[in-house]
């Protein structure tokens, strides 16, 4: 359907309700959009593509403010591009979230007194799929509430058949290219989740522990080492010192007694040791510390594991069977009894790693795992940004990206879980190892078994930009919509997800990066800048605010706070303010329609327009240009602010108010203003639609009779500007604003009428006298007029007769009292700021506060003096 056909005005103007009720509009309107296929992307279309993938939320999740924020930004981008004529695909889907989902289902089993081992692997996985079907994915319904314009027909899940094929394909390709290997190394182990986790899934926080110094060896051959994890000493296989440390050169190569055991261990020299830290000697436990593991490799030390997967001590002796924390206390006690504790510091605050899923303290553990050799993949990911193939916005985030990809360690991709993509490797009875691709037959026969581990969740989500389009098949969708146009995501998953997608996309898609631009946003915080958390009591369910104020209000608040790369504070009163904005749009459009606002016919030529009409059209086109530039630079906060001030301040507060006089007069001028007002509202509603889609759709279809804003044209800057009209109306605004301020200062009510004489001859304001009188409630002067206050403003003079409205004597007394108080405040501030001793001792924020008080006092004095001068003599 052509745009002209979409915009034919209705035969009769529909009646809008007096108030906007979001709850009655939003749900049905969204379903109508989906039913009409507005969000469906056609790979056969000849339109240029615009593709964005949704950062796949966990299947266990629910919509939180972070989701709502991110989705609002993506929806705004895709709605605008759809209006601009692009074949737009916003790809939805969910992540299987291996650890999180398995934990949820295991907790359910625990309520039944069972574990996953009671069910067995296949039955447990069936149970997870059942849970997913019944309880998972509630976020999809919440996305509809928010207005997400995603193509629901293309919804994907990282465990569905097509994506599973993609995972198996790339695993086999990486394996064949010797970029995947199996090795025994130190990994981060969660004793609660019972799986390895990657470095970026470890959260570090300062915990109170203990630091104990322990004497190793006997007699002259002793060393003192300090540790926060005394329980690991049972697995020590050496003590290391620096090669140049003269204190210990006589001990290097000798064997010393390891306390509490019947073993002796060597003293080795290694440059990793810092001789200036502590005693300059460190215990070496290769099976339980990554740095110690490297020392052990260099010196061919044995690896002795002393804990099982539950972090329970397995070493023979009195500590066997104790939990690691119980063992720590028991071992320190035993060492103390032997006189081997040299020093104890308790509490000792130090950084400790915790599982990001369950918050359990992680345990470094030697384990056989699968790894990705990231060197060549990470180099390609870094070069793609350095070469300009991929842009990062804001640009200052590039350093953080390079710091990560340029220093990547090999990635541990195996997880000791049952829920997830099982590693496609089979082991034979005679030590055979076979990696199976999606088109290969798995080995069968006695003694062949598949690897028990599953892949890290980020392995499959790293394929998201192309696996969702059908890869490894060369589909029409892949040809049309890859690479993605833009990725919008939080800076907090730059390393988790973005770097993985860059590495896999460049590798699998022949050097073509997965997206052209990476747009990084911050985290949503409360109005005081504090992280939102249930434990802090400041977490907000966005559905509550959407229920109370409407989805548009939440969306506009979030977009208005979205400065690139920075965190976003939000409070309920701000959402309430955005609800008021939606109501303002509603009321202004309703007024316009009641006064015949229309888009029918061409706009009259400029010479037939009033200065007010030319001003608003000039400002409209300037706003279109400004908003376009800000969208292209992903400046959501600035473009939202520009739209807010143009719509509320210039259109609703000025143009609509100025038009009232024209409408009251009727005639040809009223018809012209009705057409201009229709044009302004048509374009303004289009500009606002990507951010506040529901209220704008309702109003625009009523105003224009068009099919839907979702498929309407995005407005373009016609190039019309009228600097003269803009200056003329700016002068008019100054006059009205100054007189309104004076009226308020005199205590006059906004609707209170006052006799006035206007001297406008020789100024551009002469044609606006009726509007000035209307907006300022100024009556004709009459025969008994007495000018008791005269205001020269912008070349015009406004004389007011206040004799019947205020008590001049009382007003002079009030103003004089306020003036004296302001002068006293000024004197006190000047005295403090002139005191050198005060300036030296006072904190900067206190000094700044005093300077602010001085500035305010000076402004108050000028204002009060002007008011006194404007009053007649008592």
């Amino acid at each position: 359907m052509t745009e002209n056909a979409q915009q034919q005005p209705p035969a009769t103007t529909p009646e809008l309700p007096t108030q906007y009720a979001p709850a009655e509009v939003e749900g049905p309107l969204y379903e109508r959009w989906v039913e009409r296929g507005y969000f469906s992307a056609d790979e056969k279309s000849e339109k240029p593509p615009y593709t964005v993938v949704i950062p796949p939320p966990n299947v266990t999740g629910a919509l939180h403010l972070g989701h709502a924020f991110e989705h609002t930004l993506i929806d705004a981008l895709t709605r605008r591009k759809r209006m601009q004529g692009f074949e737009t695909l916003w790809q939805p889907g969910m992540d299987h979230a291996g650890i999180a989902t398995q934990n949820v289902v295991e907790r359910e089993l625990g309520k039944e007194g069972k574990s996953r081992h009671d069910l067995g692997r296949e039955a447990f996985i069936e149970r997870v799929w059942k849970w997913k079907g019944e309880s998972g994915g509630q976020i999809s319904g919440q996305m509809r509430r928010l207005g997400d314009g995603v193509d629901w027909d293309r919804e994907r899940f990282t465990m569905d058949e097509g994506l599973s094929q993609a995972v198996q394909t790339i695993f086999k390709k990486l394996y064949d290219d010797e970029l995947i290997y199996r090795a025994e190394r130190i990994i981060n182990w969660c004793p609660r989740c019972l799986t390895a986790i990657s470095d970026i899934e470890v959260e570090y926080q300062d915990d109170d522990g203990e630091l104990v110094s322990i004497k190793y060896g006997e007699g002259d051959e002793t060393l003192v080492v300090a540790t926060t994890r005394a329980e690991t000493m049972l697995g020590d296989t050496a003590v290391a010192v620096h090669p140049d440390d003269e204190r210990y050169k006589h001990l290097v190569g000798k064997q010393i007694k390891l306390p509490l055991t019947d073993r002796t261990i060597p003293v080795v020299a290694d440059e990793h040791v810092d001789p200036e830290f502590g005693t300059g000697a460190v215990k070496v436990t290769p099976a339980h510390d990554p740095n110690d593991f490297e020392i052990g490799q260099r010196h061919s030390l044995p690896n002795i594991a002393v804990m099982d997967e539950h972090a329970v001590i397995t070493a023979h002796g009195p500590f066997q069977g104790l939990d690691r924390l119980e063992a720590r206390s028991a071992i320190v006690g035993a060492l103390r009894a032997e006189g081997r504790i040299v020093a104890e510091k308790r509490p000792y605050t130090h950084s400790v790693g915790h599982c990001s899923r369950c918050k359990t303290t992680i345990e470094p553990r030697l384990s056989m795992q699968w790894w990705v050799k990231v060197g060549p993949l990470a180099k390609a990911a870094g070069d793609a940004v350095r070469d300009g193939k991929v842009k990062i916005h804001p640009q200052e985030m590039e350093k953080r990206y390079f710091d990560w990809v340029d220093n990547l360690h090999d990635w541990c991709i195996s997880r000791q879980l049952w829920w997830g993509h099982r590693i496609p490797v089979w082991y034979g009875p005679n030590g055979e190892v076979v990696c199976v691709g999606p088109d290969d037959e798995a080995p069968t026969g006695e003694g062949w078994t598949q690897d028990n581990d599953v892949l890290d969740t980020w392995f499959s989500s790293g394929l998201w930009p192309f696996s969702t389009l059908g890869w490894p098949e060369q589909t029409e969708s892949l040809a049309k919509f890859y690479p993605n146009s833009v990725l919008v995501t939080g800076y907090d998953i730059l390393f988790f997800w973005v770097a993985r997608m860059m590495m896999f996309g460049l590798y699998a898609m022949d050097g073509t990066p997965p997206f052209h631009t990476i747009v990084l946003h911050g985290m949503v915080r409360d109005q005081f800048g504090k992280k939102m958390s249930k434990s802090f009591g400041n977490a907000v369910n966005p559905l509550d605010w959407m229920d109370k104020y409407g989805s548009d209000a939440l969306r506009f608040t979030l977009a208005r706070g979205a400065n690139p790369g920075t965190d976003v504070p939000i409070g309920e009163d701000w959402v309430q303010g955005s609800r008021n904005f939606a109501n303002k749009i509603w009321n202004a459009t309703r007024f316009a329609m009641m006064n015949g606002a229309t888009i029918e016919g061409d706009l009259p030529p400029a010479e037939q327009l009033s200065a007010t009409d030319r001003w608003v059209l000039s400002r409209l086109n300037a706003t279109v240009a400004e908003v376009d530039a800000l969208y292209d630079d992903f400046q959501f906060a600035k473009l939202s602010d520009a739209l807010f001030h143009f719509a509320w301040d210039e259109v609703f507060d000025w143009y609509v108010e100025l038009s009232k006089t024209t409408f009251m007069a009727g005639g040809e001028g009223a018809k012209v203003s009705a057409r201009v007002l229709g044009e302004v509202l048509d374009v303004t509603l289009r500009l606002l639609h990507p951010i506040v889609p529901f209220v704008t759709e309702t109003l625009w279809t009523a105003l224009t009779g068009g099919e839907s804003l979702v498929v309407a044209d995005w407005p373009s800057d016609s190039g019309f500007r009228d600097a003269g009209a803009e200056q003329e109306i700016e002068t008019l605004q100054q006059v009205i604003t100054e007189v309104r301020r004076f009226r308020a200062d005199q205590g006059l009510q906004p609707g209170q009428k006052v006799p006035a004489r206007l001297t406008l001859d020789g100024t551009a304001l002469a044609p606006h006298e009726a509007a000035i009188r209307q907006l300022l409630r100024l009556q004709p002067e009459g025969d008994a007029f007495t000018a008791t206050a005269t205001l020269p403003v912008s070349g015009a003079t406004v004389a007011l007769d206040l004799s019947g409205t205020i008590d001049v004597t009382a007003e002079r007394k009030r103003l004089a009292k306020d003036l004296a108080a302001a002068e006293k405040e000024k004197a006190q501030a000047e005295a403090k700021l002139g005191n050198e001793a005060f300036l030296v001792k006072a904190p900067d924020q206190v000094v700044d506060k005093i300077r602010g008080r001085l500035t305010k006092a000076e402004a108050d004095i000028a204002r009060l003096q002007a008011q006194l001068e404007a009053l007649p003599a008592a």
Side-chain angles (χ1 to χ4, degrees), residues 524-596:
V524 178
R525 297 181 178 271
D526 71 11
Q527 59 189 333
F528 305 108
K530 191 174 182 180
K531 182 179 179 180
M532 286 191 171
S533 165
K534 290 181 181 178
S535 60
F536 295 155
N538 63 350
V540 174
N541 182 346
L543 292 176
D544 293 341
W545 282 353
M546 286 192 280
D547 288 342
K548 194 170 183 180
Y549 303 111
S551 299
D552 284 332
L554 177 63
R555 289 170 61 116
F556 193 73
T557 305
L558 291 166
R560 206 172 177 195
N563 287 298
T566 61
D567 291 343
V568 182
I570 185 172
E572 184 171 2
D573 55 337
W574 302 346
V575 185
Q576 185 175 351
S578 295
R579 188 272 313 273
N580 295 344
F581 179 49
N583 288 342
K584 185 82 169 180
I585 301 170
W586 183 271
N587 292 334
T589 306
R590 186 169 178 272
F591 163 83
M593 291 175 64
M594 290 171 61
N595 284 276

Side-chain angles (χ1 to χ4, degrees), residues 17 20 58 140 235 323 423 444 475 679 710 773 788 856 860:
Y20 177 51
N58 288 351
S140 297
D323 171 82
I423 289 176
T444 57
T475 64
E679 181 77 12
V710 181
R773 287 190 177 277
T788 59
K856 183 178 183 302
D860 287 343

Side-chain angles (χ1 to χ4, degrees), residues 41-109:
D42 181 6
E43 61 268 17
K44 300 183 186 301
S45 168
E46 295 184 0
K47 296 178 181 178
Y50 187 82
T51 315
V52 185
V53 294
I54 187 174
N58 288 351
V59 69
T60 57
L63 190 73
H64 55 65
L65 274 177
H67 287 124
F69 171 57
E70 185 169 80
H71 290 200
T72 294
L73 304 187
I74 300 174
D75 197 40
L77 289 176
T78 52
R79 283 179 182 269
R80 172 175 175 257
K81 285 297 182 180
R82 192 178 291 111
M83 295 173 75
Q84 287 182 316
F86 286 78
E87 191 62 36
T88 303
L89 169 60
W90 183 9
Q91 173 69 56
M94 288 181 290
D95 192 287
H96 67 278
I99 296 176
T101 305
Q102 181 156 320
N103 282 347
V104 168
V105 178
E106 286 197 81
R107 281 197 296 270
E108 285 193 352
L109 285 174

